[in-house]
Amino acid sequence: SSALLYFCRPDDAGVFRNALGGFTPCFTELFALGIGHIAFYLFVPLRLWVLFNSSIEKSPLNSLSKWGHRILTFLSIFNALIPLLQMNARFGGLSNLYITSDSMPPMELTSYILAIVAWLLSTSVMITEIEKGICQKYDWMIRFAWLLSFAGHCAKINFVVAMHPERDYFFYLYICQFCSHGVLALFAVLYHPRFTTQYKTISPQIEKDLELQVVDQKYQQFGLFFFSFF
């Protein structure tokens, strides 16, 4: 349709020799990478709700794991910065990695915005977990989004390397982005945070039950003391 053609602006030069043809960049940016972005939009709000819900038990990170989370925070900020720099360069008139159109098609702008917001959401989760701790039951959510995002970039880098023999600004910027996603994927698989043993956050309901148990024990002791006179 004309709307799809306007949105994607497919390549007409026959550069892409596959089933998708000129729609390859559009498919890669919005489907292969977009699935990872959608995972962020689905899981991060739920993850933040869990972290801010005082009735759900959370385990505070120890000092070493807090440094691990600071590294993850830096990588998330870096991954939000890269598409911002790419978008700025495109507005400045530079050509992109494998998008042959001189002007920036709407799908490319959409991909940049989705990526920036997704990685800012990831950053917010890391910062919140440093402060509030982790609910281990839901720890898989953000890891799953990191792995999906890296899988999308594994599909994209094949086109980038094949179509970009010259090593320019966009190429090196993307290689840095790909490496950053790779490190996060390794963290998603291998990083298991440790928790402090000094204290543990308990839910208000558990705290209330403990208080009732203490009061009940005091009444029982008082009853035994009172009836001991008879």
Side-chain angles (χ1 to χ4, degrees):
S1 64
S2 58
L4 182 62
L5 290 173
Y6 171 77
F7 184 74
C8 291
R9 295 185 193 173
D11 167 57
D12 297 326
V15 176
F16 299 96
R17 304 182 183 278
N18 53 35
L20 293 170
F23 285 94
T24 299
C26 190
F27 176 84
T28 305
E29 293 291 329
L30 297 182
F31 184 76
L33 296 178
I35 290 178
H37 299 153
I38 291 173
F40 281 109
Y41 296 132
L42 289 177
F43 292 137
V44 170
L46 179 58
R47 178 82 174 202
L48 289 173
W49 177 81
V50 169
L51 292 172
F52 283 99
N53 191 333
S54 59
S55 64
I56 298 178
E57 184 178 339
K58 290 171 282 292
S59 302
L61 298 169
N62 66 12
S63 57
L64 183 61
S65 293
K66 283 185 177 181
W67 277 107
H69 263 59
R70 290 186 182 104
I71 294 173
L72 295 174
T73 303
F74 169 78
L75 291 172
S76 295
I77 293 173
F78 183 78
N79 285 333
L81 180 63
I82 292 293
L84 185 64
L85 293 174
Q86 291 172 330
M87 184 170 59
N88 180 66
R90 285 291 273 164
F91 280 127
L94 295 179
S95 61
N96 199 353
L97 295 165
Y98 66 157
I99 299 174
T100 56
S101 174
D102 293 332
S103 60
M104 184 163 52
M107 69 88 180
E108 186 182 359
L109 179 61
T110 302
S111 178
Y112 288 145
I113 294 173
L114 289 175
I116 292 169
V117 176
W119 287 106
L120 288 178
L121 287 172
S122 175
T123 303
S124 67
V125 169
M126 294 300 101
I127 294 174
T128 306
E129 287 183 346
I130 291 174
E131 296 297 325
K132 293 184 173 292
I134 291 180
C135 180
Q136 300 177 55
K137 182 179 179 181
Y138 302 97
D139 191 34
W140 63 270
M141 293 179 177
I142 194 73
R143 296 170 183 262
F144 183 64
W146 290 342
L147 290 172
L148 280 179
S149 183
F150 180 62
H153 280 283
C154 287
K156 178 178 178 177
I157 196 170
N158 293 323
F159 299 111
V160 172
V161 174
M163 294 185 59
H164 229 259
E166 66 277 7
R167 304 296 185 250
D168 61 1
Y169 173 79
F170 268 103
F171 180 83
Y172 288 115
L173 206 58
Y174 180 72
I175 293 301
C176 291
Q177 184 183 30
F178 180 82
C179 292
S180 177
H181 279 74
V183 173
L184 275 171
L186 288 175
F187 266 92
V189 176
L190 302 177
Y191 174 60
H192 300 286
R194 298 181 180 275
F195 309 103
T196 179
T197 56
Q198 294 179 354
Y199 65 93
K200 197 172 186 179
T201 304
I202 60 174
S203 66
Q205 184 61 43
I206 296 176
E207 187 176 3
K208 183 178 179 180
D209 293 342
L210 291 174
E211 291 177 353
L212 290 175
Q213 290 178 11
V214 172
V215 172
D216 185 57
Q217 290 176 359
K218 287 183 178 179
Y219 275 115
Q220 290 178 1
Q221 292 174 358
F222 176 77
L224 291 173
F225 175 76
F226 179 78
F227 284 108
S228 64
F229 290 98
F230 298 95

